[in-house]
Amino acid sequence: RSKEEEEEEEEEAPRASRRSKRGLEIEQLKRASSPSEVRAVLSKLGELRNAKETSCAIAALGRAGLASEAMTRFEAAPEAHKTLFSYTAAIAALAKAGDARGARRLLGEMQDNEVDIAPDAVAYNAVIGALVSAGRFAEADEVFEEARRRDTPSASSSAAAARARSSVDGTTLSPWRARRRAALSHDTTPPAGDARSVAATTNADTYALAAGARARSGDVDGFLV
């Protein structure tokens, strides 16, 4: 090897070590659950370098019950870091803190023309869950219907037809009941024929949450559709 190659190798070794150390710190952040753990790892990381790190930080803060700090991170993040994942992490943080209004506001912000990020089932479920917990059943149902309207053809139209044709104990199930039964049996795998994309806006949990909202609001027919 030439001297130049040896020098390049010597210079690369510390850089690789730093990258490896940061990767380990990100993994620690993903596992951290207490406020002290999350703050300690974030302190070591310093400035967040990309969208992935930002979403991990927001998710960790929300998981630790530090919603206000999660939102501070989210609002201060560069626009390039505000992706589906960071928005969803912020929504989940607000929902866990019981801020249903804030969670729904952020869900709406995602769909503004300036942002234009389509929410997925995780974001919708967090908002619906927060609204149900707050006793705002009518709003929860509104968000559920919005999620159903936004489903793509591959995740809704063809799947709905497959669900409608599915049969349990000889009884043909409606799309709602097929979803509800799957959710109540803790089977979050979509019914047969329901090929869902990553960006699907509803899943079994969405239907279970909405069914619960309707039942608790006294809408028995809506619950049993």
Side-chain angles (χ1 to χ4, degrees):
R1 292 183 304 170
S2 67
K3 185 178 180 180
E4 289 78 7
E5 288 175 331
E6 290 178 352
E7 289 175 349
E8 285 179 7
E9 195 171 283
E10 288 175 1
E11 290 175 359
E12 177 61 24
R15 286 197 292 268
S17 177
R18 286 194 296 271
R19 286 196 297 269
S20 176
K21 181 183 177 184
R22 192 168 183 86
L24 289 173
E25 288 170 346
I26 291 296
E27 290 304 312
Q28 289 176 356
L29 184 61
K30 290 178 180 178
R31 294 192 299 270
S33 56
S34 72
S36 58
E37 286 178 313
V38 172
R39 286 170 175 151
V41 179
L42 286 174
S43 177
K44 286 191 290 185
L45 282 171
E47 183 180 353
L48 301 175
R49 298 176 182 176
N50 52 50
K52 182 179 179 180
E53 291 187 358
T54 296
S55 60
C56 285
I58 295 168
L61 288 165
R63 192 168 56 249
L66 302 170
S68 60
E69 292 180 41
M71 288 308 299
T72 297
R73 289 270 182 176
F74 175 78
E75 290 165 359
E79 290 304 313
H81 290 195
K82 293 184 178 179
T83 63
L84 168 65
F85 301 105
S86 56
Y87 263 100
T88 301
I91 287 171
L94 291 172
K96 181 174 180 177
D99 186 358
R101 182 173 297 171
R104 189 174 187 188
R105 175 190 60 76
L106 212 54
L107 184 74
E109 182 181 305
M110 290 179 73
Q111 301 166 76
D112 287 347
N113 290 334
E114 293 182 4
V115 179
D116 195 23
I117 297 175
D120 63 3
V122 178
Y124 276 113
N125 291 354
V127 174
I128 293 169
L131 290 168
V132 170
S133 296
R136 296 160 69 167
F137 306 122
E139 288 183 63
D141 202 48
E142 286 175 11
V143 175
F144 168 71
E145 291 299 338
E146 176 190 313
R148 286 213 299 181
R149 286 194 302 271
R150 289 183 63 89
D151 256 338
T152 60
S154 62
S156 180
S157 301
S158 59
R163 287 197 304 271
R165 289 192 299 269
S166 67
S167 180
V168 176
D169 299 328
T171 303
T172 300
L173 301 179
S174 68
W176 179 285
R177 185 171 289 179
R179 280 289 174 190
R180 176 175 164 266
R181 181 165 296 190
L184 294 181
S185 66
H186 304 289
D187 177 12
T188 55
T189 304
D194 187 358
R196 289 200 156 266
S197 64
V198 172
T201 59
T202 59
N203 58 21
D205 293 333
T206 320
Y207 277 75
L209 287 165
R214 291 183 175 185
R216 289 172 65 180
S217 68
D219 182 6
V220 179
D221 290 336
F223 179 61
L224 296 175
V225 169

